[in-house]
Amino acid sequence: MEYVLETMSLCKSYRHFKALNGLDMHIPKGAIYGFVGKNGAGKTTLIRLICGLQPPTSGEFTLYGAKNTCGDIYKARRRVGAVIETPSVYLSMTARENLKQQYRVLGLPDFNGIDELLTLVGLSDTGRKKVKNFSLGMRQRLGIAIALCGDPDMLILDEPTNGLDPQGIIEIRELILDLNQKRGITVLISSHILDELSRLATHYGFIDNGRLVKEISAQELETLCRKCARVTVSDISALALILDKTGLEYKILDNKTADIYAHPNITKLTLALADVGCELLGFEERNESLESFFISLVGGERQ
Ligand code: ADP
């Protein structure tokens, strides 16, 4: 397998505290790599190291085949765009002015491509509006557009949906999928929101206390875990009777809710429930498996 990023026993200490403690990570070319960990696990630290904002204490990594200790690493880093923590944007400028500024920083010969970028991230109609009047989601998308200015092959996004409303989250998700599928951009996306990641990631790396405790492809994870459907009904015992008859495995959570570990036919289920006077109040497909998998790896409640 061809890896865009490979880290070998990477360590980063802040005084006596080991934020990264022998981390081994492998990001395949073309992946959307979900970097999962509780707050404080070391995700941002790894990203800072990759981007050259801080040096490792020990260990090494290769980015596009270039070792972090070799001169080639600067060239490799030019193939990477990143949005770390909050995007760095000029609040008193428009979206277009922000992009022009980044083009100047990168020394690009002309401003061709800015229109395409604005369209790509859905900001083409913001005209003279200054960034300080943008929503958080718009700022985040502008941050991604800035990261895309050098036409990178890899994009690093640190908690890109943090604090966004549901619409903002959907827009960022669609943008990431688009960039990955249409432009072939490899994406490293750190998050502690598992539900969101599970809609995107092709690979996962689980980090805990500065160590990568597991790396797994979404496909492998799927075969390891089970998806479930969470149903809410007016009469839980009626639901239990019906599920017992169909032989589906389930778990009752409270007097209205149960998880069914299969993909039940909703029409049949609704009709069967209606026959016994029970209403189907809610139906939600859940990827709880990812969450349980994460908890089984790192233990405890996630933050
Ligand atoms: P995450 O991104 O997973 O939430 P971070 O990489 O930001 O975690 O932080 C990992 C740990 O390192 C945390 O305990 C944090 O307090 C600590 N840390 C991060 N940066 C510094 C720093 N500059 N100085 C001291 N400790 C730090």
Side-chain angles (χ1 to χ4, degrees), residues 14-15 17-20 37-46 48 54 85 158-159 190 207:
Y14 298 110
R15 291 178 178 262
F17 179 73
K18 288 183 174 166
L20 294 184
K38 296 179 194 174
N39 285 328
K43 302 182 293 297
T44 308
T45 303
L46 184 269
R48 285 199 212 113
Q54 286 176 344
E85 289 155 314
D158 189 15
E159 302 272 3
S190 86
I207 182 176

Side-chain angles (χ1 to χ4, degrees), residues 208-223:
D208 192 39
N209 289 323
R211 280 178 184 278
L212 208 72
V213 286
K214 182 86 181 171
E215 256 183 348
I216 190 168
S217 73
Q219 233 171 2
E220 288 167 322
L221 186 66
E222 188 129 328
T223 55

Side-chain angles (χ1 to χ4, degrees), residues 46-65:
L46 184 269
I47 290 173
R48 285 199 212 113
L49 262 50
I50 305 304
C51 295
L53 302 175
Q54 286 176 344
T57 309
S58 64
E60 56 186 26
F61 65 86
T62 58
L63 185 64
Y64 285 102

Side-chain angles (χ1 to χ4, degrees), residues 77-276:
R77 281 209 182 100
R78 269 187 246 136
R79 299 179 66 177
V80 178
V83 186
I84 307 177
E85 289 155 314
T86 43
S88 348
V89 288
Y90 295 99
L91 297 178
S92 57
M93 291 185 182
T94 64
R96 180 179 296 277
E97 285 163 356
N98 264 282
L99 291 179
K100 278 189 172 175
Q101 183 57 24
Q102 183 64 8
Y103 265 53
R104 286 188 198 104
V105 168
L106 295 175
L108 298 174
D110 54 52
F111 295 133
N112 298 341
I114 287 188
D115 282 325
E116 194 191 336
L117 273 179
L118 286 170
T119 307
L120 182 71
V121 300
L123 292 175
S124 55
D125 59 356
T126 53
R128 295 159 69 92
K129 194 172 189 165
K130 296 209 161 107
V131 174
K132 64 181 171 204
N133 299 318
F134 279 18
S135 69
L136 200 61
M138 290 163 80
R139 285 184 201 191
Q140 195 61 261
R141 282 183 278 132
L142 177 59
I144 295 178
I146 291 173
L148 290 172
C149 277
D151 201 14
D153 297 311
M154 182 187 191
L155 193 59
I156 298 181
L157 303 172
D158 189 15
E159 302 272 3
T161 53
N162 236 4
L164 296 189
D165 59 18
Q167 182 58 29
I169 291 177
I170 294 171
E171 285 164 1
I172 294 287
R173 184 201 310 154
E174 284 177 356
L175 175 59
I176 294 171
L177 283 171
D178 213 46
L179 291 169
N180 177 257
Q181 289 164 4
K182 297 207 181 120
R183 298 193 168 205
I185 294 181
T186 303
V187 185
L188 165 61
I189 167 171
S190 86
S191 184
H192 64 284
I193 308 172
L194 299 186
D195 184 50
E196 186 46 37
L197 268 188
S198 69
R199 293 161 201 256
L200 282 173
T202 58
H203 294 75
Y204 295 96
F206 295 89
I207 182 176
D208 192 39
N209 289 323
R211 280 178 184 278
L212 208 72
V213 286
K214 182 86 181 171
E215 256 183 348
I216 190 168
S217 73
Q219 233 171 2
E220 288 167 322
L221 186 66
E222 188 129 328
T223 55
L224 273 183
C225 306
R226 300 178 298 177
K227 287 196 178 192
C228 80
R230 178 159 293 181
V231 290
T232 312
V233 290
S234 59
D235 180 353
I236 199 76
S237 38
L239 175 73
L241 275 175
I242 288 165
L243 292 176
D244 284 339
K245 271 190 212 157
T246 54
L248 292 179
E249 201 184 328
Y250 65 94
K251 184 172 151 197
I252 291 178
L253 304 177
D254 58 40
N255 64 354
K256 284 198 156 166
T257 324
D259 279 345
I260 306 175
Y261 296 101
H263 192 74
N265 180 316
I266 311 175
T267 314
K268 276 191 185 163
L269 184 64
T270 315
L271 289 174
L273 287 168
D275 265 355
V276 291

